[in-house]
Each structure stands twice: as structure tokens, then as C-alpha cells.
Amino acid sequence: MLTPVLSSAREDSKEESKDASRDASITAWALAARSGDPDAVDLFVRALHRDVRRYVTFLGADPQSADDLTQDTFLRALGSLHRFEGRSSARTWLLSIARRAVVDSIRYSSSRPRLSDTDDWQSAAERAQPRDLPGFDDGVALAELLNALPDDRREAFVLTQLVGLPYAEAASVSACPVGTVRSRVARARISLIEWLDEAERPTPVTSAA
């Protein structure tokens, strides 16, 4: 069952509060890393590696390139860390960089001749899906359902429900109003619930002629 992922608005609020202290620690590490602290760099990367990989995987880029995009994101971030001033959380700042990395990758890929067809999304998502989600098979099913959502709703849902970003920070990453993010998440949730209900509805058994 995937219902734990489709949390209510009240649960979302609790998760935002829970993430606040984590974000504060990560931002502190980023600021320390900016000063050249190698331990802070390691803590910063470890703390956000999973979030970045999950985000780039579900954002719509080729899932097979998720590792490369994750590495590219951190290389870009560490290269520009001296400009990070802590005005937003380090996680929001890093996911904004990840978003640009994905966009650049898509633009680059679209400008190159296509040599062969890529694998279908279902098999690619199965290889890329993190194994530590509740129920690996459920995680793969969720990847398939998310792929059916419009890009903007998928991004909003992934940022807030899978990555755990507060709505205000998700809005900053997506460059849109907070109300728009809430609307996109709500619509995505409605669609996912409807599709799950359809998938779990028993198939009528027809009697043999």
C-alpha cells in the first residue's frame, strides 16, 4: 500500500516542523564548509546526497543518469559554496542547483543526435528507485504513477512529500508562489489516490461461456 506516502495536510505540517532542526544543522555545516572545514563538507554532502538523488531521479531526467546528475550537483555546489550566505536553507539552495543541473542535462541531451531508444521508464525506475523506501515494489509503483503526472505537479509532490521540503522552500526551488505548490501537491495527491484505487479495485470475474 502507498497510503503512508500520501500524507494529510496535518501530517505535512508536523513533518515541516521536524525537518526544521535538520535543515538548521545542514545549513550550519554548509556555512562551515564554506570556510574550508573538511568535516563540515563531508557532513553536508552525506546529509543531502539521498535528497538530491531522489529529486533528480523523479524530476523527469533519465533515471540512469541520476548518479551523474547528483555528482554534478555537488560539484557545482561546492564550487560556488563561497557565495552561499545562508539566506535560505542549504537544502533549498542545493536543490535549486540540482534543478538547474537537470535542466542543463536535458537541454544537452536534446541537442545531441539520438543514437538509440532508451529503456522504458518502468525498468529504468526499478533500477534507480531507492531500496530503503517502505516496500520496494510500492516504490517502483509510485515511480510509475508519478511519471503519469504533469511535470509541475510531479516536482511539487516529490519536493514536499518525498524529499520533505517545506512548502515555502519548495516554492523557492520551483520559482513559483507557495499557493501554487500547495495546489499542485493537492491535485497530484488526488490523482495518485484515484489511480491507486483503480489499481486495487478487484477485476470482475466473467463466467466461462
Side-chain angles (χ1 to χ4, degrees):
M1 294 290 293
L2 296 179
T3 47
V5 179
L6 306 176
S7 56
S8 66
R10 183 175 300 176
E11 290 171 335
D12 291 341
S13 179
K14 291 180 180 179
E15 287 300 318
E16 288 180 18
S17 298
K18 180 180 178 181
D19 287 340
S21 59
R22 175 175 178 257
D23 279 344
S25 296
I26 293 172
T27 299
W29 292 331
L31 292 171
R34 184 183 63 175
S35 302
D37 184 339
D39 292 334
V41 171
D42 183 63
L43 288 169
F44 171 68
V45 172
R46 288 177 181 273
L48 290 176
H49 188 276
R50 178 184 175 188
D51 286 351
V52 170
R53 193 183 190 285
R54 178 175 289 176
Y55 179 49
V56 299
T57 298
F58 284 108
L59 193 58
D62 176 6
Q64 297 181 79
S65 66
D67 288 332
D68 290 337
L69 284 168
T70 301
Q71 182 178 17
D72 182 32
T73 296
F74 280 103
L75 287 174
R76 293 186 186 203
L78 295 177
S80 59
L81 197 57
H82 60 283
R83 293 196 294 269
F84 176 65
E85 299 179 353
R87 295 177 181 175
S88 63
S89 74
R91 185 163 58 152
T92 299
W93 176 73
L94 185 62
L95 290 175
S96 296
I97 294 175
R99 192 174 197 268
R100 289 196 294 272
V102 171
V103 171
D104 289 345
S105 174
I106 293 173
R107 287 175 177 169
Y108 176 71
S109 297
S110 64
S111 67
R112 300 178 63 192
R114 186 170 181 147
L115 300 179
S116 61
D117 291 335
T118 59
D119 293 340
D120 63 278
W121 168 262
Q122 181 176 353
S123 60
E126 184 172 349
R127 290 193 297 272
Q129 178 66 34
R131 261 60 172 184
D132 53 354
L133 285 178
F136 173 58
D137 292 338
D138 287 348
V140 174
L142 178 60
E144 296 169 15
L145 294 177
L146 284 172
N147 187 53
L149 291 170
D151 292 346
D152 54 356
R153 296 181 192 177
R154 180 171 66 246
E155 180 183 25
F157 187 89
V158 169
L159 282 173
T160 59
Q161 309 304 302
L162 298 184
V163 177
L165 213 61
Y167 282 97
E169 297 192 13
S172 177
V173 171
S174 303
C176 68
V178 175
T180 300
V181 172
R182 292 188 180 278
S183 176
R184 289 173 180 174
V185 171
R187 292 180 180 182
R189 185 181 286 125
I190 290 172
S191 295
L192 291 171
I193 290 174
E194 289 177 350
W195 295 337
L196 286 170
D197 287 343
E198 291 177 5
E200 295 173 357
R201 189 173 298 134
T203 303
V205 178
T206 57
S207 59

